[in-house]
Amino acid sequence: MAYPTGNIMAGKRGLVMGVANDKSIAWGIAEQLAAQGAELAFTYQGEALEKRMRPLAESVGSNIILECDVTNDEAMDKTFAELEAKWGKIDFLVHAIAFSDKNELKGSFVENTSRDNFLKSMDVSVYSWVAVAKRASKLMTDGGSMITLSYLGAERTIPSYNVMGVAKAALEASTRYIARDLGPSGIRVNAISAGPMRTLALAGIKGGRDLVGTGREWSLLKEDTTMEGIAGCALWLLSDLGASTTAEVVHVDAGFHAVGVPESAASAE
Ligand code: NAP
């Protein structure tokens, strides 16, 4: 992917959480931030992922690659202690983490949602944002900016998205409450509501890959969401260009969220 280069992030350091491979949204954002001069640290979970993560991180000049399972408080404390020992302070954070049992990302929400997976989905996909924001904010001693990734399923019903939609609604509400608490410390907190992208996470949703392509037919721009669009929005929010913007959910979905009824469903006459 070719991202615009420059110095918008020169002198800024930050942590990127949620790169699984080079298709991950977090990776597109990382590439754009690096192309604008940011210094990056990454987290991964699991040994296999470290093997995939290392060459990616090195390709953007990063050698800080830390293990972090966000369901484990001690693991998170250790990750942020290691980051503090390396850098002392950070300027930004990218949280691009979600999980739900794919057996429940299909069919009926009301019939298929178990208590266990409801709690697990909320833990990994929502509480992790709160837990990570708490720890990252302690390192943002000169203010900072943090973002998470959401989806339209927070606001509208999407086939098969089910419990993840409920989790994304809670993620967006959490963004506003975190922003409220951290605002006085000069820390901005926002979410990007991205259109569908071909990633591992999308593959876990039944029919998820069919969502890619709907933008071309139904969005206002008549095109699919691009990684460049998402990464550009992240650059705006995480840099000083985003001054004064906090507690916001910015849609980067070619205007899909604003469509009530598509042209194809209405008579042209
Ligand atoms: P992805 O490449 O699969 O990234 C999801 C990441 O979450 C992976 O790195 C995954 O690590 C990590 N994760 C899951 N459980 C974790 C845990 N317990 N501890 C630490 N990390 C954990 O997919 P993606 O689409 O880029 O997803 C990034 C974010 O964007 C998610 O919040 C997703 O809901 C959101 N989003 C995606 C789309 C889309 O269409 N793809 C649209 C809007 C929003 P493992 O691989 O090791 O599990």
Side-chain angles (χ1 to χ4, degrees):
M1 216 76 71
Y3 293 102
T5 56
N7 292 315
I8 290 173
M9 295 301 285
K12 290 193 190 293
R13 288 172 156 173
L15 178 64
V16 178
M17 308 182 80
V19 176
N21 58 31
D22 65 355
K23 304 286 182 296
S24 295
I25 293 176
W27 179 245
I29 292 172
E31 282 196 293
Q32 173 62 94
L33 295 173
Q36 290 289 342
E39 265 190 88
L40 303 173
F42 294 90
T43 61
Y44 67 94
Q45 59 155 350
E47 208 177 294
L49 208 57
E50 205 243 340
K51 285 206 187 92
R52 256 182 287 153
M53 184 68 254
R54 189 161 293 279
L56 287 176
E58 285 173 356
S59 75
V60 292
S62 170
N63 58 8
I64 306 183
I65 305 163
L66 307 167
E67 184 162 13
C68 187
D69 173 358
V70 296
T71 60
N72 182 324
D73 285 332
E74 288 77 41
M76 275 189 288
D77 286 342
K78 188 162 167 275
T79 304
F80 281 91
E82 284 173 14
L83 192 59
E84 185 174 19
K86 297 242 186 237
W87 279 347
K89 57 161 273 213
I90 61 171
D91 303 291
F92 63 87
L93 170 85
V94 177
H95 171 278
I97 289 173
F99 175 81
S100 185
D101 180 345
K102 63 181 172 41
N103 292 318
E104 298 192 12
L105 298 180
K106 60 182 180 188
S108 163
F109 167 65
V110 69
E111 293 294 338
N112 292 352
T113 306
S114 67
R115 185 187 301 270
D116 274 358
N117 184 53
F118 187 97
L119 295 176
K120 176 86 176 165
S121 305
M122 295 295 275
D123 187 17
V124 177
S125 316
V126 186
Y127 182 72
S128 71
W129 175 221
V130 182
V132 155
K134 174 179 164 182
R135 288 164 176 82
S137 67
K138 306 281 192 287
L139 304 187
M140 292 183 175
T141 47
D142 290 334
S145 178
M146 44 180 92
I147 57 167
T148 188
L149 269 300
S150 190
Y151 179 54
L152 189 61
E155 306 161 62
R156 290 163 195 259
T157 58
I158 309 280
S160 304
Y161 203 59
N162 296 1
V163 66
M164 275 310 300
V166 177
K168 291 304 189 192
L171 183 79
E172 293 183 7
S174 300
T175 299
R176 292 183 283 273
Y177 280 95
I178 298 167
R180 183 181 189 99
D181 287 344
L182 301 185
S185 305
I187 299 171
R188 296 182 294 102
V189 183
N190 292 289
I192 295 176
S193 181
M197 304 295 293
R198 282 187 194 279
T199 64
L200 285 178
L202 190 79
I205 302 160
K206 186 163 181 357
R209 293 196 177 242
D210 300 338
L211 295 173
V212 179
T214 53
R216 282 198 294 277
E217 196 177 349
W218 292 322
S219 76
L220 299 182
L221 290 174
K222 303 293 178 213
E223 63 186 29
D224 285 327
T225 303
T226 63
M227 196 64 98
E228 287 88 343
I230 299 170
C233 181
L235 174 65
W236 161 56
L237 289 170
L238 294 174
S239 71
D240 296 340
L241 295 174
S244 303
T245 298
T246 196
E248 194 60 85
V249 179
V250 184
H251 294 87
V252 181
D253 64 358
F256 194 101
H257 66 282
V259 175
V261 176
E263 274 82 1
S264 56
S267 161
E269 292 166 28

